[in-house]
Every structure is written in structure tokens, then in C-alpha cells.
Amino acid sequence: IARRGKNMIEMEAERSKKASRLETELALAAEIQLSALPTDFPAFPSHPELDLHAEMHPAKEVGGDFYDFFEIDADHTAIVVADVSGKGVPAAMFMMTGKTMIRDFLKSLPSPAAAMSAVNAQLCENNEAELFITAWVGVLEV
């Protein structure tokens, strides 16, 4: 009985260590995810006529919601609000991929429609998890 009790205590201690490690990793993932979102305000110091502010408060430690805003060129500014299907770490990873693609394609392709079509095609490739992004993208001519 004593040996069984000792084994149970050791197993519980190991479970507790794993849970603590997972909690630490999720907190780090949330920090990484939030650090990828714009936080400098005013958002466009070179365009004082544009006043924009955004924050994100995930329902879980990490998730798939995101926003972005950036200058495409001297005359065009992009604003993105999006949500990845699903929750947790898979959605957060897909979010980081999608956010990067949206930014890159909006800067390199001639129109928002072409950019989002290219993003969609890339995200659909090898997407075994069948995750998707619902996004609103606006390009403002300043």
C-alpha cells in the first residue's frame, strides 16, 4: 500500500509539472501573439488626419482573432480585422501565417481583391486541418 501511495504521489507530481509547463507555454504563446499586433498609437504619425486605435482581448490564452493596419505606400493605408476558425494554439499559428500573408500580398499585388485571392489560394494549400480566416480588409486612399 505504501509503494502504491508513493507511486500515486509521484504521478500526481509529474502531472502537476506538466500542467505548469503547459500553462507557461500558453502564456508565452499569448505574449508572442499579442506582440505581433500593432500597438503604436497614433497609428500613422505621418497622417495626423487618420485616428485609429485597436486592442485585442482573446477569450482563451491564445486564439485566432487579429487586426492589422499599415501603410501600403505613401498614398494607401490598409486596415484588417480578422478571425481564424477554431481556437487555441492551432488557430494562433494559422493567424500568424495569415496575418503575414495578408500584409505581404497587400503590399505587393495591385489590388485588395488580387491580394486576398492570393492569400486564400496559399492558405488552402496543404490545409489538412481545414482552418480558414474570415477577414475584412479595407484600403484607404489617404
Side-chain angles (χ1 to χ4, degrees), residues 81-140:
V81 179
D83 180 38
V84 174
S85 62
K87 297 293 177 211
V89 174
M93 291 174 64
F94 202 71
M95 166 265 190
M96 295 293 279
T97 301
K99 179 184 172 297
T100 301
M101 284 184 187
I102 291 170
R103 180 180 276 256
D104 290 347
F105 285 128
L106 281 173
K107 286 184 173 186
S108 65
L109 293 177
S111 73
M116 295 310 288
S117 181
V119 168
N120 187 55
Q122 288 267 219
L123 290 176
C124 288
E125 274 185 28
N126 302 317
N127 184 353
E128 313 267 325
E130 298 182 346
L131 294 173
F132 60 90
I133 297 175
T134 303
W136 178 89
V137 176
V139 175
L140 176 65

Side-chain angles (χ1 to χ4, degrees), residues 11-27 61:
M11 286 174 30
E12 183 57 37
E14 186 61 30
R15 255 194 303 254
S16 180
K17 280 185 201 175
K18 286 181 182 178
S20 178
R21 189 170 39 245
L22 180 60
E23 191 174 302
T24 301
E25 288 176 5
L26 282 173
E61 290 86 356

